[in-house]
Amino acid sequence: MGYRAFDLTGKVSVVIGGTSGIGRAIAHGLAEAGADVVPTSRRIEQVETTAREIAQLGRRSLKVASDVTDRASLEHLLQECINAFGKVDILVNSAGKTKRVPTLDLTDADWNDIMETNLTGLFRACQVFGRHMLERGYGRIINIASLASFVSLYEVAPYSASKAAVASLTKSLAIEWASRGVLVNAIAPGVFRTALNEKLLDETPRGQEFLIRTPMKRFGAVEELAGAAVFLASDAATFVTGEVLVVDGGLLSSGVNQ
């Protein structure tokens, strides 16, 4: 097979939630592997910045905002990609949100808001782009799951429930679409430092617990997720579908670390 199997030259990738944190790092990784990449999110100024970064890597990109809670915006995004590139080969679903609150204090609105983005929004994107991929007989979908797909995190019940459902939905789509050329997998990141969680990781007992439970004794750098995404998007993974690939420095394997 050789290393060329990992080459994404000629592939077109859309990364939803691709303008910050994990999504942005994956967008960069796909571009560095040769793909043209469309990083998208709700904030057009972030979209424009990240699209420029992709162009600086020598790849084609587009500046199109989208919102996973709005099906029409996803359909518009797909159409813009088809107009510009003729196709979409790879979809990465990285949009997500969370809120820490004791479950008894959780409102219906908070529950629904998190589910709407993390689960229903991801489902919409898989449906919109999956239909296009199935028509072409080729596609790679990579959903961003979580440690919370497997174990619960304290006082984030809707986030944990949504991410467990993302793992299940990934498997459901995988078995429906496997014989038609569309492979559906997920990546479950461990604890990665981003602008949003830096304070929590460095200055709270929760952050310290995450560190103690990670055998590598450090948090991940978001760039360390790019390889998993490139693998799942590439011809090196042509017989891999329905997989939730954990990238967590050993945390889920951890029992007693000292």
Side-chain angles (χ1 to χ4, degrees), residues 73-84:
S73 82
L74 296 173
E75 291 171 342
H76 172 72
L77 172 64
L78 172 60
Q79 193 57 54
E80 289 294 306
C81 292
I82 291 171
N83 291 345

Side-chain angles (χ1 to χ4, degrees), residues 14-28 37-54 61-66 77 92-96 194-196 222:
V14 170
V15 184
I16 298 176
T19 62
S20 63
I22 286 169
R24 177 175 169 272
I26 288 174
H28 277 241
V37 181
V38 179
T40 183
S41 66
R42 292 178 299 170
R43 296 177 180 86
I44 189 61
E45 62 278 2
Q46 291 187 353
V47 171
E48 290 172 347
T49 298
T50 312
R52 279 196 299 271
E53 293 167 357
I54 299 302
S61 190
L62 289 177
K63 299 172 182 176
V64 185
S66 66
L77 172 64
V92 180
N93 282 308
S94 187
T194 68
L196 288 178
V222 288

Side-chain angles (χ1 to χ4, degrees), residues 125-223:
C126 286
Q127 209 175 39
V128 168
F129 285 84
R131 191 182 306 279
H132 164 72
M133 292 173 174
L134 289 163
E135 287 169 357
R136 294 182 59 235
Y138 180 92
R140 303 288 183 264
I141 296 176
I142 302 167
N143 297 322
I144 302 303
S146 168
L147 295 176
S149 301
F150 304 98
V151 296
S152 198
L153 306 179
Y154 188 68
E155 291 186 340
V156 288
Y159 176 82
S160 294
S162 71
K163 290 298 187 176
V166 165
S168 180
L169 178 61
T170 297
K171 294 171 188 292
S172 293
L173 297 178
I175 64 167
E176 283 191 47
W177 297 350
S179 65
R180 299 167 66 189
V182 178
L183 308 183
V184 187
N185 294 288
I187 296 171
V191 187
F192 286 78
R193 181 181 270 105
T194 68
L196 288 178
N197 69 13
E198 202 166 31
K199 199 171 176 65
L200 178 142
L201 295 185
D202 294 338
E203 300 177 17
T204 69
R206 192 182 184 98
Q208 191 58 33
E209 183 177 354
F210 276 132
L211 194 59
I212 288 167
R213 287 174 176 267
T214 302
M216 281 193 174
K217 302 299 182 193
R218 65 176 178 84
F219 301 123
V222 288
E223 294 76 19

